[in-house]
Amino acid sequence: QVQLAESGGGLVQAGGSLRLSCVASGRTSGINYMGWFRQFPGRDREVVARVGPGGDTEYTNAVKGRFIISRDNTKNLLTLEMNSLKPDDTAVYYCNAYVTGVGKGHYWGQGTQVTVSS
């Protein structure tokens, strides 16, 4: 089992920045990809960015050039730097870890609200 604890988020004006953090605990040796997802009201959760165990990154087009995902495997820490925020970025953001081997599957944090005012 893997547990994910998120922090960060909150209210910010358009054009501002926020930093989300996620600390993993438990069977972290089985973690492969980690990522951030977001969910808009009434819609399914969607991927924002993800990072592989070797540091390779992927971003959804809507955040390319504005968000930066990073991972520190020594601290089991995942971060998302969000810059030039827009009201359209308002959503609940979730940390995700994909585990291989024993306990294989997707694990989720509790979610953190990000609200961008215009």
Side-chain angles (χ1 to χ4, degrees), residues 25-42:
S25 60
R27 191 180 169 275
T28 58
S29 61
I31 294 177
N32 192 308
Y33 272 84
M34 296 189 76
W36 291 95
F37 286 65
R38 63 186 178 184
Q39 188 167 21
F40 302 107

Side-chain angles (χ1 to χ4, degrees), residues 26-62:
R27 191 180 169 275
T28 58
S29 61
I31 294 177
N32 192 308
Y33 272 84
M34 296 189 76
W36 291 95
F37 286 65
R38 63 186 178 184
Q39 188 167 21
F40 302 107
R43 293 174 60 177
D44 292 336
R45 207 168 290 184
E46 61 183 47
V47 64
V48 175
R50 65 174 192 165
V51 56
D56 51 304
T57 58
E58 298 176 16
Y59 296 90
T60 190
N61 286 338

Side-chain angles (χ1 to χ4, degrees), residues 85-106:
L85 282 161
K86 306 174 182 179
D88 288 348
D89 295 316
T90 297
V92 178
Y93 285 71
Y94 294 90
C95 176
N96 169 266
Y98 180 70
V99 171
T100 58
V102 175
K104 179 180 178 180
H106 285 277

Side-chain angles (χ1 to χ4, degrees), residues 4-86:
L4 302 173
E6 301 151 348
S7 60
L11 174 64
V12 65
Q13 288 188 330
S17 298
L18 282 175
R19 184 172 191 253
L20 304 182
S21 297
C22 173
V23 177
S25 60
R27 191 180 169 275
T28 58
S29 61
I31 294 177
N32 192 308
Y33 272 84
M34 296 189 76
W36 291 95
F37 286 65
R38 63 186 178 184
Q39 188 167 21
F40 302 107
R43 293 174 60 177
D44 292 336
R45 207 168 290 184
E46 61 183 47
V47 64
V48 175
R50 65 174 192 165
V51 56
D56 51 304
T57 58
E58 298 176 16
Y59 296 90
T60 190
N61 286 338
V63 307
K64 283 181 180 178
R66 299 189 297 124
F67 291 12
I68 301 172
I69 189 171
S70 61
R71 172 177 182 173
D72 185 339
N73 293 328
T74 64
K75 298 179 180 178
N76 297 316
L77 175 65
L78 180 73
T79 61
L80 185 69
E81 298 281 351
M82 303 186 293
N83 303 304
S84 302
L85 282 161
K86 306 174 182 179

